[in-house]
Amino acid sequence: MKPLKLLFLLICTVFFFYSCDKDKDNNPEPDNPFDKEGLLINYADAIILPNYNSFKLSLDSLVLSFDVFKTSASLSDFQLVKQKLHVAYLKYQTISLTEFGPAESEIVRMNFNVFPTDTAQIIANIASGTYDLSAASNLDAKGFPALDYLFYGKNSSENSMSNLLSSSTTRKQYVTDILNEMTTKTNAVITTWNTTYRSQFISSLNTDIGSSIGYLVNQLNFELDYLKNAKVGIPLGKKTLNIPLPEKCEAYFGTQSLPYAVATLNIIEDIYLGRSKAGIDGKGFDDYLNHLGASYGSGTLDAAIKNQFSIAKTKLAAISNPISVEVISNPNTVDAAYVELVKLLVLLKTDMPSNLGVIITYQDGDGD
């Protein structure tokens, strides 16, 4: 055999084995595939859709209670509106994580919960009576944070906020317009899931960019980053040389920042475990990692993640409500929770995706 031909065969042989190794790296389970369809069916039918339906009921209930208040103008009806707002805002935390597919098309997260809200813009919109809530300039002047401001105000009594709202036609119309937009978007998301997107979601069985598993892993981590930074770190002063910024808290006026932060961490854990709204443990990323034999130190990666969830939940629960007060009066307790959230994020954003073959595609801006 001529030397040139021998060299060519050698190069082909090396390329062949390299290609095999590369394919193996991109497919962590070639011989014993995990039931990814079962995983996605559990996510769709036991977690995502039930949470959307539950949120819709709470939002519809808020709308109905506000309609009653618009007519009655009674303080008791106003108090009921605020109770309904809290329930809907709490349930919103269970759908915020699923910002892909129909929710991404409706840009739910940006339209429903940009905080801190722009109170000056809200007042200007109401004063003019002319505004376009679909405009990007109004993203921080609508949604739950705007309702939080309009129902509670800053250092205002319940009576004064009730009277201010009931006596102003333009203010009532502004609240109505916010609620109408949220209702329309919620209905659109649920309708699309039920008609077309569910089948698309459960049949996307790869883990590459644009796959259902890729979306879930990315959004799970986005939501944890969101919790760590927007709900805890920024109010604590992590971006401002440890100077606390309590007014940056979620639900600042209604002082419900802690239960919403706890709800966010709970839904992240639910997604990781595949735990249904009813608390039933179904197929989740924990099962997927164990199927792959993912290890961490001398144990399993799943055990390390579950342990860190437990620690982070304990530290977060040690904070008193609201966080806006705690970042001033008890910053060490808030910081302890922040530190544990960072540790959890490392496990979920680095170790889990690398084992599942998922690429993290979003940017959080702080480099972790």
Side-chain angles (χ1 to χ4, degrees):
M1 184 178 293
K2 294 180 179 179
L4 186 59
K5 190 173 182 180
L6 182 61
L7 177 62
F8 176 75
L9 286 174
L10 179 61
I11 292 172
C12 289
T13 302
V14 170
F15 180 77
F16 172 76
F17 282 111
Y18 169 77
S19 298
C20 290
D21 284 346
K22 187 177 179 183
D23 288 344
K24 184 179 180 182
D25 290 343
N26 288 338
N27 184 1
E29 41 170 352
D31 301 324
N32 182 25
F34 182 69
D35 180 13
K36 290 196 280 290
E37 184 178 13
L39 175 86
L40 295 173
I41 288 174
N42 183 54
Y43 281 134
D45 296 347
I47 303 176
I48 297 174
L49 279 167
N51 281 339
Y52 264 111
N53 289 330
S54 179
F55 170 67
K56 173 181 164 48
L57 288 175
S58 67
L59 183 60
D60 289 346
S61 184
L62 170 61
V63 171
L64 182 60
S65 67
F66 187 67
D67 285 343
V68 171
F69 169 72
K70 283 193 295 186
T71 302
S72 74
S74 76
L75 181 60
S76 61
D77 285 336
F78 182 62
Q79 291 169 335
L80 184 60
V81 169
K82 293 200 300 181
Q83 292 172 19
K84 299 290 186 183
L85 171 66
H86 172 56
V87 173
Y89 208 165
L90 189 62
K91 293 194 174 188
Y92 163 77
Q93 311 299 330
T94 68
I95 66 163
S96 175
L97 187 151
T98 50
E99 185 82 351
F100 51 83
E104 185 178 24
S105 299
E106 296 295 333
I107 320 175
V108 168
R109 190 185 279 130
M110 292 290 288
N111 280 294
F112 282 32
N113 197 29
V114 173
F115 61 89
T117 197
D118 188 340
T119 57
Q121 182 68 34
I122 293 171
I123 293 171
N125 285 344
I126 293 172
S128 70
T130 303
Y131 44 81
D132 178 7
L133 289 182
S134 65
S137 58
N138 277 321
L139 285 174
D140 56 358
K142 62 180 181 178
F144 283 115
L147 297 177
D148 179 56
Y149 170 67
L150 290 167
F151 291 167
Y152 287 91
K154 187 174 183 180
N155 301 322
S156 302
S157 70
E158 193 170 52
N159 263 318
S160 66
M161 293 308 297
S162 176
N163 292 333
L164 186 62
L165 193 54
S166 62
S167 62
S168 169
T169 301
T170 53
R171 188 170 283 242
K172 284 186 287 190
Q173 186 59 51
Y174 196 73
V175 170
T176 299
D177 290 341
I178 290 173
L179 291 173
N180 285 343
E181 184 188 58
M182 295 170 73
T183 299
T184 299
K185 289 184 175 297
T186 300
N187 290 342
V189 171
I190 293 174
T191 297
T192 305
W193 263 98
N194 284 326
T195 54
T196 59
Y197 190 71
R198 180 189 175 278
S199 60
Q200 178 184 333
F201 177 78
I202 66 173
S203 61
S204 172
L205 302 181
N206 293 319
T207 59
D208 54 349
I209 296 173
S211 65
S212 296
I213 291 174
Y215 279 139
L216 272 170
V217 171
N218 269 274
Q219 286 302 313
L220 179 149
N221 278 287
F222 184 98
E223 198 71 5
L224 182 54
D225 254 322
Y226 189 50
L227 169 62
K228 174 181 74 76
N229 289 325
K231 303 191 181 197
V232 178
I234 290 175
L236 185 60
K238 290 297 183 182
K239 307 287 187 184
T240 50
L241 301 174
N242 294 321
I243 299 172
L245 300 172
E247 71 279 5
K248 301 290 187 184
C249 281
E250 184 178 29
Y252 172 66
F253 303 101
T255 63
Q256 295 292 337
S257 47
L258 183 67
Y260 297 167
V262 169
T264 297
L265 187 55
N266 285 341
I267 186 61
I268 292 170
E269 187 181 42
D270 285 347
I271 292 293
Y272 175 73
L273 297 174
R275 187 169 56 200
S276 74
K277 180 174 169 53
I280 299 171
D281 186 8
K283 280 190 174 66
F285 289 130
D286 59 334
D287 302 299
Y288 196 177
L289 289 174
N290 285 329
H291 176 86
L292 296 173
S295 61
Y296 186 84
S298 59
T300 67
L301 177 57
D302 173 48
I305 291 173
K306 285 176 177 172
N307 181 60
Q308 192 55 39
F309 262 119
S310 177
I311 295 171
K313 289 173 70 175
T314 299
K315 294 295 183 182
L316 196 60
I319 302 173
S320 296
N321 188 54
I323 297 174
S324 56
V325 172
E326 288 286 273
V327 296
I328 302 295
S329 62
N330 200 7
N332 290 338
T333 301
V334 183
D335 188 63
Y338 176 85
V339 168
E340 298 306 328
L341 290 173
V342 172
K343 293 177 183 175
L344 179 60
L345 184 62
V346 172
L347 291 170
L348 293 176
K349 192 174 179 180
T350 302
D351 296 275
M352 184 173 79
S354 66
N355 278 277
L356 298 181
V358 171
I359 296 174
I360 297 297
T361 56
Y362 75 91
Q363 297 292 322
D364 62 4
D366 64 0
D368 58 18

